[in-house]
Amino acid sequence: GVILALWAERHREARQSAKEQAALDQDLVHSRRLVLSSVVKNTSESKRLGNVLESDEDPYLFQVSFELAVWEATQIQFMRVASLDERVLLSRFFDQVSRLMRLMEFHRQLRVQLELRQSALDAGDRALLNQSAKRLHVVADDLRIDGLVVVTDLGEPMHKRLLGMHDLSAASAA
């Protein structure tokens, strides 16, 4: 009887452990899908930021918006269940998003400060604005490339299509 009770308890624990692991796996899939959708959005916005900077149609960059809310909401849960590679790639990407957002805010504030002054912009002011815009463009391009790497490594076909990437494995199989 004792052996049967021990076997039953081990069997119950194994089933419970399997259920918990299945729930963790499902959480990872859901979290990954949400986070990768945010990567796609931020990658697209970084490309749009580059276009806006080149056109000067939105000098205060109000039409461009990045988001960190999904990452901040799922980061702890994601870090608990994701692989090391995923954690490193996504942490690095969202650190870059945060950096770009701070740089955009600096650029906006610089532009406002220079335009609110009583005197007209001189060559030094224009050079400062141009350097700020160039730096912003470089960081946005770095973010875009990082986003493409993340989606290439971790993304589903839907994420790749949203960024205009073609699935090479499907194309070569055809």
Side-chain angles (χ1 to χ4, degrees):
V2 173
I3 293 176
L4 183 59
L6 286 173
W7 178 83
E9 181 61 23
R10 284 189 184 148
H11 188 65
R12 186 192 66 74
E13 287 175 359
R15 278 192 314 229
Q16 183 64 27
S17 178
K19 282 182 184 178
E20 289 171 1
Q21 186 60 44
L24 281 175
D25 291 346
Q26 188 62 29
D27 285 347
L28 177 61
V29 167
H30 180 68
S31 295
R32 183 184 293 128
R33 194 169 288 135
L34 284 173
V35 168
L36 286 172
S37 294
S38 180
V39 169
V40 168
K41 189 240 188 263
N42 286 324
T43 302
S44 297
E45 284 296 296
S46 67
K47 183 175 182 178
R48 198 156 82 81
L49 174 60
N51 293 338
V52 167
L53 285 169
E54 290 171 2
S55 70
D56 203 35
E57 70 187 39
D58 181 18
Y60 294 102
L61 309 174
F62 290 135
Q63 297 175 8
V64 180
S65 64
F66 294 91
E67 73 88 20
L68 290 170
V70 170
W71 176 246
E72 290 170 353
T74 60
Q75 181 178 11
I76 292 171
Q77 175 187 4
F78 191 82
M79 292 296 191
R80 184 173 50 107
V81 293
S83 71
L84 180 63
D85 289 342
E86 290 175 322
R87 291 185 298 208
V88 168
L89 277 174
L90 291 168
S91 293
R92 181 172 179 249
F93 178 81
F94 285 103
D95 285 347
Q96 281 282 80
V97 171
S98 179
R99 178 176 172 225
L100 184 58
M101 289 171 67
R102 287 189 308 271
L103 193 56
M104 274 180 57
E105 185 57 31
F106 171 80
H107 183 77
R108 285 178 185 141
Q109 291 297 321
L110 177 65
R111 188 168 200 99
V112 166
Q113 292 294 322
L114 291 176
E115 289 184 7
L116 288 178
R117 287 189 330 191
Q118 298 297 325
S119 60
L121 295 179
D122 62 14
D125 295 336
R126 283 197 258 337
L128 183 60
L129 276 174
N130 285 338
Q131 288 173 352
S132 176
K134 284 178 185 176
R135 184 69 188 145
L136 198 53
H137 200 293
V138 166
V139 174
D141 198 44
D142 288 347
L143 180 69
R144 185 186 62 79
I145 292 168
D146 284 349
L148 292 173
V149 168
V150 169
V151 171
T152 299
D153 289 353
L154 306 175
E156 298 173 1
M158 169 194 65
H159 297 117
K160 294 174 183 178
R161 279 193 308 274
L162 288 171
L163 287 177
M165 300 168 68
H166 302 289
D167 190 8
L168 297 176
S169 62
S172 64

